[in-house]
Amino acid sequence: MDAIATVLPQDVRVVAVVGCSKNAGKTTTLNALLEGLGGTLPRPGVLSIGIDGEEADFWLGVPKPRVEVARGDWVATAEAALAAGTAVVEVKERTGGRTLLGDLVVGQVVRAGTVLLAGIRAKDDVRAAVAAMLRLGAGRVLIDGAYQRLAAADPEVSDGTIIATGAVLGPTVDEVAGRTREFLQRLQVPATTHAADRDLMATAVAANRLALRLEGSGDPPVLAESPSAPEAAWILAGGDAVVAVPGAVGDDLVRQLAPRATGRVRLLAQDPTRLFLSPMESSRFRRQHDLRVIRPIRVLAITANPFSVFGWTLPRPGMVEAIRAVAGNVDVLSFDVHPPPCPGA
Amino acid sequence: MERKLDLDPGAIARSRDAAGNIAEEVLRFAADRTTVSIERAVLRWMGVEGGDADCIPLVNRVVDAAVAAGLLEDGIALPFAEAVRSSGLDPSGAARAISEGRLALARPAPGHEEAARAIARDLAETGSERIRRTNRTRQAFLDRLGEGPRPLLYVIVASGNIHEDTVQAQVCAKAGAQVIAVIRSTAQSLLDYIPEGATTEGYGGTYATQANFRIMRAALDEASEDVGRYVRQCNYASGLCMPEMATLGALERLDVMLNDALYGILFRDINMQRTLTDQAFSRRVSAAAGILINTGEDNYLTTADAFESAHTVLASELINEQIALRCGLKPWQLGLGHAMQMNPFREDMFLYEVAQARMVREIFPECPLKYMPPTKYMTGDIFRGHVQDALFSLASVMTGQGIHLLGMMTEAMHTPHIHDRTLALEATRMIVTAARHLEDEVQFKPGGIVQTRAREVLGRAQGLLEQVRDEGLFGALANGRFADIRRTPEGGRGLDGVLAKGPRYWNPVEDALDALLAEGAPEVTE
Amino acid sequence: MSSDNPPTRMASGVDLHAVRPYGDTLSDGLVQLSFSLPIPPGPEAREAARRLAAQMGLNEPQIYHEADLGYGFSFWILYGKCRFHVDLTRIVVPKIEAPAMSLEEINDLLREKAGRRLRVVGACSGTDAHTVGIDAILNMKGFAGEYGLERYPAFEVFNLGSQVPNEVLLAKVRELKADAVLVSQVVTQKDVHLNNLAEWVDMVEADGLRNDLLMVCGGPRITHEVALELGFDAGFGTGTTPRTVAAWIAHEWVRRHG
């Protein structure tokens, strides 16, 4: 478990745990982080954007690992959810935010045990809860993702991200590694190296429209509703271009963009959580053009779980090896998680 | 057909007359047009198979090239045959060369035109010969093995993986299934191409592809030998690729295909100009290939109330019948759709459903009819669901339905599990056997609930058909006459694939179809 | 189907800390079970079925029916005594918070608090083609004797129909400045609808629209709890009537903006 501390640099105060798939091992990773931070002061805080620490998986009904907190740890959850865990939590602050289980509170654990983390739905509420925990004295904040949602990995929410992957992604090592690579490619879209791109994105965000300009041109940027708008087409017809998208980037957008481009396009998104390109469209686009973000995600580590909730187990060394091969210089860790006990077996 | 409902023959005749007028208007509209999918079907008929490096079918690449070159309004056959002639390649080879830009599509120079036309006619004839052979194979199976008594028990498989589907289909055949339908992946009706190859991933169903058709056909032929009766294969000639699906069905020996433009218009928001044009061609193909078509009126009752809107089902069945007969289909090929969808807790619901089923039976005495089980009031209470399905089976056997789609107790929950189908087949066979001659024994009380209800529904259907005749079918659809859904002639998907035929339009497959239909498709009823 | 209402009456003698299935005697734990195995029936298959039931937590598993499905498959019906229990007092379930209101009350509330019609967008998103659910909630004629949202003067409804990709839905929500979005998902194969719903929530968040939008999902396998996990504001399952959805939208909008 000490390995976990090595992947958390000092400057990373807010850590998101996201899964390549649901049941990939997010909660196990979260518990390992909490345990790994066992001796550290000040104590960490935890919150979830889904629902965490419940007894059974919301979809499969199978037993799930519980979220285990120690004395001094911080939690942000619904007040009503505190009854469902065995830990005793002293409520310190009501943030005014809401979860589906009721009003959100930030509290500190006075007796160790399990907690039920009720999901905080909106990104702004997550940021408010994180800020409250840090202000009240938490050393770090760990955010558990939900399902395979990426919102918590947004660099405006978290300083770094840990990816949970595992056998649940497929029955063979190669399939798991392949799908992990796809996920990683999406999260690791590189930052732009052009200083002027930031200004272009700021223009796009302020206007809530696409902002376009010709590469190297000193002309003011052009705003457009979509790549097929005449203003956009005019820029794209002029040669190499830079296009800043303030919101979500999906297949439709690049399908409209690519045929209109006469030169090379550098497509800018705010950060990788805004990217919703299918692997096919993404690779097709990137063969001829460039995809960049303003704020990259710092991927701290990948955790690999050899047990699948669907009942199969992959050889741990082989799986870790295969994931290392696609992980580049990102650390790959595998914890001693065990399959849920099989009663009567 | 014994007349038990005392229906007014004049009302039936007037209704059919109005439906005939509606059908003629629709077919006049279709005759002046072609579509990208009809032209792709022509290429498939002429032997083009396979896809390019990105798995886009070659027929799409060729037709897209013809659109780009402004050639399609005169039909794909002649420029394509010219490409075959000038290159010396086989049809698939020429199509591949066109898709890779190594070969251009063009009208033949005057000196080559006759040679190109001859090649096109030869390729069309090759397709016809394949279809004749397919028809003979089916007939040989039926002559040797038969297919068991009516109603034909029809079940669906929908695992998403064709190789799982074949296992489940064989288990169904053993349990008594006579028709196996492979439900398509949910988005497929809106794809403007047919995916290539054997597929193992689908959503809510399995992609219909030429390779999957072949794989299922082989599995069902094997099962037919095992169980000693011919098991029919069913899929969908519907959606944006309707004509191509019908053509693949004809080439790969499908026996039953769902084929209903009205269904696509109402429930898949496919453009009406596109799909009614596609349907005219598709039905001619099915007619020539001895394929039994199923129509989708049963679906109206999933959105509209089954008691209040029963007459819309009958009206639409008459329209579908009249279009189909004019496309060369014979009555034995028309599995007109209807369903048991009334609230099971409604008093005398069973009587009303029997009235409807018997009425349709008497109005279409030579059509097999496709009777669909309850879905709307299925709840997840599998025990109650099994009883609802039993009521349905009893109504089916006592009114003489020809194709009986089995209800699943797990309807509204998930695609059926392997034993769901076996349990449904066992229960249905028990009921059908137990009540085998009930139909012959039953008379309905003169002026009773059943007779009165049937007469009312017929009367309302006649009124609706006369209204639709006055509005035109396009107008009626725009006014929401069916399923409470409104669709406009310019709305929906696929309008950009419709072309007015040019003055030089030529399609040798149409001529081949005329020839096949003149020979008379083999009648494969027992 | 789980009920949203707490039981009004408990059978006598039930230990709420240890609730077990009931056959004909309190806490007998009796459960019925059926499944197929991909092996032909026979003595070994019989023992395999029994052991599987034991591993599922059933004591004294009894096989009452076995059948040969053919082609190497067998079907089994068993009964057994469940050896587990649950502690009802530790269960926390998210529930829809909205008072029951009539059509008129909903209209009156929104007329007073919003002073305009709320724009409601509905779609079967992704590859889903099954519009029955969304139509039942939105269409004028409604479902189960209740009018759909189109009938409410307080709502302006845009039903986008079936198979609407998330990206298209997002563009529409932006264009119409929607107040609430209802997505319906029926197809359940391989969890495709869950992936699609999760992506939808992330996409709305990525586009900066999350705070101003009431996000609702519905479908036969959707519960409020699934909605919570996926990041929606509400989830509605089978049997939900239009008025329940309308009341929730009105109540929640007023809570946020009123």
Side-chain angles (χ1 to χ4, degrees):
Chain A
M1 288 297 163
D2 289 347
I4 201 76
T6 66
V7 301
L8 288 188
Q10 279 307 314
D11 60 329
V12 174
R13 292 199 72 194
V14 184
V15 182
V17 180
V18 301
C20 286
S21 146
K22 93 188 164 70
N23 308 108
K26 288 187 294 287
T27 307
T28 303
T29 301
L30 187 78
N31 277 333
L33 283 167
L34 284 169
E35 200 180 329
L37 294 168
T40 61
L41 283 173
R43 301 295 308 149
V46 286
L47 62 87
S48 172
I49 67 164
I51 185 165
D52 241 302
E54 73 275 36
E55 233 172 277
D57 181 88
F58 80 101
W59 191 246
L60 297 168
V62 296
K64 279 188 64 166
R66 314 297 304 268
V67 176
E68 308 265 357
V69 286
R71 188 182 156 85
D73 288 353
W74 295 84
V75 298
T77 186
E79 189 162 20
L82 293 175
T86 59
V88 177
V89 176
E90 186 184 339
V91 174
K92 297 282 192 185
E93 186 171 316
R94 284 163 214 283
T95 66
R98 273 177 67 80
T99 76
L100 286 197
L101 288 173
D103 293 334
L104 183 65
V105 295
V106 173
Q108 194 167 21
V109 177
V110 292
R111 200 179 76 207
T114 61
V115 285
L116 176 65
L117 299 178
I120 306 173
R121 282 165 285 168
K123 200 145 69 180
D124 289 349
D125 287 345
V126 172
R127 292 171 67 179
V130 168
M133 280 199 270
L134 293 176
R135 179 163 36 76
L136 288 166
R140 282 201 167 91
V141 176
L142 313 176
I143 306 172
D144 198 357
Y147 198 59
Q148 60 198 40
R149 293 187 49 212
L150 285 186
D154 182 339
E156 288 195 323
V157 175
S158 54
D159 304 323
T161 291
I162 295 179
I163 297 171
T165 188
V168 72
L169 269 74
T172 67
V173 163
D174 286 346
E175 210 172 319
V176 172
R179 287 189 52 197
T180 304
R181 185 183 57 217
E182 271 178 15
F183 192 82
L184 199 57
Q185 276 172 350
R186 176 178 170 197
L187 250 60
Q188 288 191 309
V189 169
T192 177
T193 52
H194 299 255
D197 286 357
R198 284 182 176 278
D199 298 335
L200 191 68
M201 181 58 82
T203 307
V205 170
N208 197 18
R209 288 184 181 189
L210 305 186
L212 305 90
R213 63 173 173 76
L214 284 172
E215 186 81 270
S217 145
D219 294 344
V222 164
L223 295 171
E225 213 46 70
S226 78
S228 43
E231 305 89 330
W234 184 79
I235 291 283
L236 293 169
D240 292 354
V242 192
V243 181
V245 184
V249 176
D251 285 353
D252 258 14
L253 187 131
V254 299
R255 279 197 289 252
Q256 286 180 45
L257 188 65
R260 290 179 170 79
T262 51
R264 197 174 153 82
V265 172
R266 187 163 66 257
L267 182 62
L268 302 172
Q270 289 204 58
D271 65 74
T273 69
R274 322 277 168 155
L275 299 174
F276 298 91
L277 297 171
S278 61
M280 193 178 86
E281 285 297 342
S282 175
S283 65
R284 190 179 288 178
F285 182 80
R286 290 165 87 172
R287 271 202 292 266
Q288 286 169 14
H289 305 288
D290 198 11
L291 182 63
R292 295 281 169 152
V293 296
I294 302 295
R295 297 183 298 274
I297 289 175
R298 187 165 165 188
V299 179
L300 303 171
I302 298 173
T303 63
N305 177 358
F307 301 108
S308 159
V309 67
F310 296 114
W312 62 79
T313 302
L314 295 177
R316 185 198 304 267
M319 191 184 70
V320 170
E321 186 91 354
I323 293 173
R324 280 207 175 112
V326 300
N329 50 11
V330 177
D331 279 317
V332 179
L333 310 171
S334 188
F335 304 122
D336 280 328
V337 288
H338 295 286
C342 204
Chain B
M1 175 79 41
E2 191 182 351
R3 295 181 51 232
K4 302 181 181 184
L5 294 176
D6 195 26
L7 293 170
D8 172 10
I12 297 173
R14 284 188 293 278
S15 299
R16 197 164 253 131
D17 214 42
N21 294 342
I22 295 162
E24 267 160 28
E25 185 204 327
V26 167
L27 291 171
R28 267 198 304 277
F29 179 88
D32 295 336
R33 287 165 179 77
T34 186
T35 71
V36 288
S37 184
I38 289 174
E39 299 302 323
R40 295 193 300 253
V42 167
L43 291 174
R44 289 184 186 275
W45 184 293
M46 290 165 67
V48 177
E49 286 186 22
D52 70 5
D54 288 332
C55 282
I56 297 169
L58 294 177
V59 293
N60 283 64
R61 297 295 307 266
V62 173
V63 166
D64 290 350
V67 170
L71 292 167
L72 199 65
E73 63 167 23
D74 291 336
I76 193 66
L78 189 57
F80 180 71
E82 169 60 13
V84 170
R85 187 202 64 79
S86 67
S87 67
L89 294 164
D90 67 8
S92 296
R96 188 169 301 281
I98 292 165
S99 79
E100 289 167 1
R102 293 184 281 116
L103 186 59
L105 276 176
R107 286 190 65 82
H112 293 138
E113 179 159 337
E114 263 326 297
R117 278 187 199 271
I119 286 171
R121 277 190 215 98
D122 278 356
L123 292 174
E125 181 53 27
T126 310
S128 298
E129 198 40 53
R130 229 175 116 182
I131 287 165
R132 282 189 200 98
R133 210 161 48 235
T134 301
N135 289 348
R136 282 196 298 271
T137 307
R138 181 193 295 120
Q139 192 59 55
F141 264 109
L142 285 165
D143 289 345
R144 187 161 58 83
L145 301 175
E147 63 174 334
R150 303 275 170 131
L152 296 177
L153 303 184
Y154 173 128
V155 294
I156 61 173
V157 295
S159 75
N161 178 340
I162 187 63
H163 304 295
E164 296 285 353
D165 287 345
T166 55
V167 171
Q168 299 185 13
Q170 291 185 329
V171 169
C172 291
K174 180 199 171 266
Q178 292 156 291
V179 183
I180 306 284
V182 182
I183 297 289
R184 294 199 296 184
S185 186
T186 173
Q188 189 168 1
S189 57
L190 301 182
L191 295 181
D192 214 338
Y193 66 93
I194 299 176
E196 282 291 324
T199 66
T200 55
E201 288 248 333
Y203 305 113
T206 307
Y207 284 103
T209 72
Q210 189 163 13
N212 287 351
F213 282 4
R214 280 179 198 165
I215 290 167
M216 182 55 78
R217 183 70 270 169
L220 291 182
D221 284 351
E222 185 185 305
S224 298
E225 300 291 351
D226 289 346
V227 300
R229 57 186 161 71
Y230 183 60
V231 182
R232 287 179 184 259
Q233 182 180 358
C234 174
N235 210 296
Y236 293 67
S238 61
L240 288 171
C241 292
M242 185 191 273
E244 295 172 84
M245 285 294 176
T247 304
L248 291 184
L251 294 170
E252 305 300 338
R253 189 162 38 93
L254 270 78
D255 308 286
V256 182
M257 295 195 95
L258 285 92
N259 177 249
D260 192 349
L262 290 172
Y263 173 79
I265 295 165
L266 294 170
F267 294 94
R268 291 292 177 267
D269 198 12
I270 294 174
N271 176 266
M272 59 181 78
Q273 302 186 44
R274 165 71 177 265
T275 192
L276 285 166
T277 305
D278 281 344
Q279 180 179 261
F281 182 89
S282 311
R283 289 196 171 176
R284 280 162 54 76
V285 172
S286 294
I291 289 171
L292 205 157
I293 66 161
N294 285 342
T295 59
E297 285 87 355
D298 42 279
N299 292 284
Y300 299 175
L301 305 179
T302 59
T303 50
D305 180 77
F307 188 81
E308 297 301 327
S309 301
H311 65 291
T312 65
V313 172
L314 175 57
S316 175
E317 286 167 335
L318 282 160
I319 296 171
N320 252 324
E321 176 207 46
Q322 291 299 307
I323 292 175
L325 294 176
R326 284 166 173 76
C327 291
L329 285 155
K330 300 287 188 294
W332 68 264
Q333 288 176 290
L334 304 186
L336 300 170
H338 64 138
M340 176 184 265
Q341 287 287 30
M342 285 183 207
N343 184 336
F345 293 102
R346 182 188 199 107
E347 188 167 69
D348 290 327
M349 163 271 194
F350 186 73
L351 279 68
Y352 298 126
E353 291 287 10
V354 165
Q356 180 82 12
R358 181 67 200 176
M359 174 194 69
V360 178
R361 174 73 290 160
E362 291 190 12
I363 293 173
F364 304 99
E366 295 171 63
C367 299
L369 305 177
K370 176 199 69 164
Y371 198 29
M372 297 287 285
T375 56
K376 192 177 183 176
Y377 287 93
M378 296 294 277
T379 57
D381 178 348
I382 55 173
F383 303 102
R384 186 184 113 185
H386 211 40
V387 176
Q388 287 170 262
D389 288 336
L391 276 177
F392 163 72
S393 294
L394 188 61
S396 177
V397 68
M398 72 182 281
T399 58
Q401 302 300 312
I403 301 173
H404 175 104
L405 202 136
L406 268 81
M408 296 290 139
M409 60 169 118
T410 49
E411 176 69 40
M413 294 163 63
H414 45 66
T415 51
H417 292 172
I418 193 163
H419 45 258
D420 296 343
R421 295 193 201 85
T422 298
L423 291 169
L425 282 160
E426 275 177 358
T428 305
R429 286 171 68 197
M430 180 179 79
I431 292 166
V432 165
T433 307
R436 176 71 72 201
H437 298 103
L438 183 60
E439 185 193 356
D440 304 338
E441 296 288 323
V442 166
Q443 296 291 329
F444 297 109
K445 181 171 144 187
I449 293 173
V450 171
Q451 285 198 353
T452 305
R453 167 72 184 170
R455 276 202 302 275
E456 274 171 20
V457 173
L458 172 59
R460 291 186 68 193
Q462 185 191 334
L464 175 59
L465 282 164
E466 286 166 353
Q467 186 180 25
V468 173
R469 175 174 57 190
D470 296 342
E471 291 171 323
L473 186 59
F474 288 4
L477 289 164
N479 290 329
R481 299 287 176 231
F482 297 102
D484 293 346
I485 295 171
R486 291 164 192 270
R487 300 294 187 202
T488 60
E490 279 73 38
R493 294 168 163 97
L495 179 59
D496 54 358
V498 181
L499 293 88
K501 283 180 183 168
R504 292 182 292 183
Y505 183 82
W506 183 63
N507 184 350
V509 171
E510 287 283 6
D511 301 336
L513 278 167
D514 285 336
L516 282 173
L517 290 169
E519 293 164 22
E523 183 152 345
V524 293
T525 44
E526 298 215 310
Chain C
M1 267 309 44
S2 68
S3 163
D4 283 343
N5 304 316
T8 50
R9 193 181 154 202
M10 288 283 178
S12 67
V14 178
D15 177 1
L16 296 185
H17 292 286
V19 178
R20 290 171 183 279
Y22 181 105
D24 69 353
T25 308
L26 193 62
S27 294
D28 60 16
L30 275 167
V31 167
Q32 62 199 18
L33 180 67
S34 65
F35 54 81
S36 292
L37 293 176
I39 49 176
E44 289 81 8
R46 207 176 157 79
E47 183 56 19
R50 223 185 50 78
R51 284 195 195 180
L52 269 173
Q55 289 185 52
M56 291 180 207
L58 299 185
N59 286 341
E60 302 171 47
Q62 280 274 337
I63 294 169
Y64 284 98
H65 177 70
E66 64 178 281
D68 186 358
L69 298 180
Y71 295 89
F73 290 86
S74 52
F75 176 59
W76 307 87
I77 298 178
L78 298 84
Y79 279 72
K81 293 179 176 175
C82 177
R83 73 176 73 103
F84 300 116
H85 59 78
V86 293
D87 182 348
L88 191 70
T89 64
R90 287 234 167 251
I91 291 178
V92 178
V93 176
K95 297 182 193 73
I96 299 282
E97 288 174 37
M101 286 191 279
S102 70
L103 186 150
E104 292 75 19
E105 286 168 339
I106 291 166
N107 286 328
D108 290 348
L109 177 70
L110 287 176
R111 190 181 309 116
E112 186 202 331
K113 300 284 187 183
R116 64 175 176 86
R117 303 172 78 191
L118 298 190
R119 283 173 295 270
V120 178
V121 173
C124 280
S125 61
T127 58
D128 200 340
H130 299 77
T131 59
V132 178
I134 195 86
D135 289 344
I137 300 298
L138 295 182
N139 285 1
M140 193 72 79
K141 63 193 290 287
F143 167 68
E146 289 182 8
Y147 292 120
L149 267 57
E150 284 179 355
R151 187 76 177 225
Y152 288 66
F155 299 119
E156 192 177 355
V157 174
F158 304 88
N159 187 346
L160 306 184
S162 66
Q163 300 183 332
V164 182
N166 283 333
E167 202 179 350
V168 173
L169 183 57
L170 184 68
K172 210 71 191 165
V173 163
R174 209 184 301 138
E175 175 197 325
L176 295 169
K177 298 191 171 38
D179 296 293
V181 186
L182 279 58
V183 296
S184 165
Q185 292 273 282
V186 173
V187 174
T188 59
Q189 208 158 31
K190 300 185 182 30
D191 292 350
V192 63
H193 63 312
L194 292 181
N195 293 329
N196 194 59
L197 290 172
E199 185 191 79
W200 167 238
V201 174
D202 266 357
M203 209 180 248
V204 170
E205 190 76 83
D207 224 53
L209 296 173
R210 181 68 184 90
N211 290 346
D212 299 326
L213 202 57
L214 299 182
M215 297 187 68
V216 180
C217 58
R221 293 189 70 189
I222 301 292
T223 64
H224 201 44
E225 201 170 359
V226 171
L228 167 75
E229 173 73 13
L230 295 172
F232 283 82
D233 296 319
F236 294 96
T238 303
T240 302
T241 62
R243 198 156 50 91
T244 311
V245 179
W248 181 84
I249 292 173
H251 178 79
E252 184 67 14
W253 193 92
V254 170
R255 202 187 58 72
R256 290 193 192 185
H257 302 88

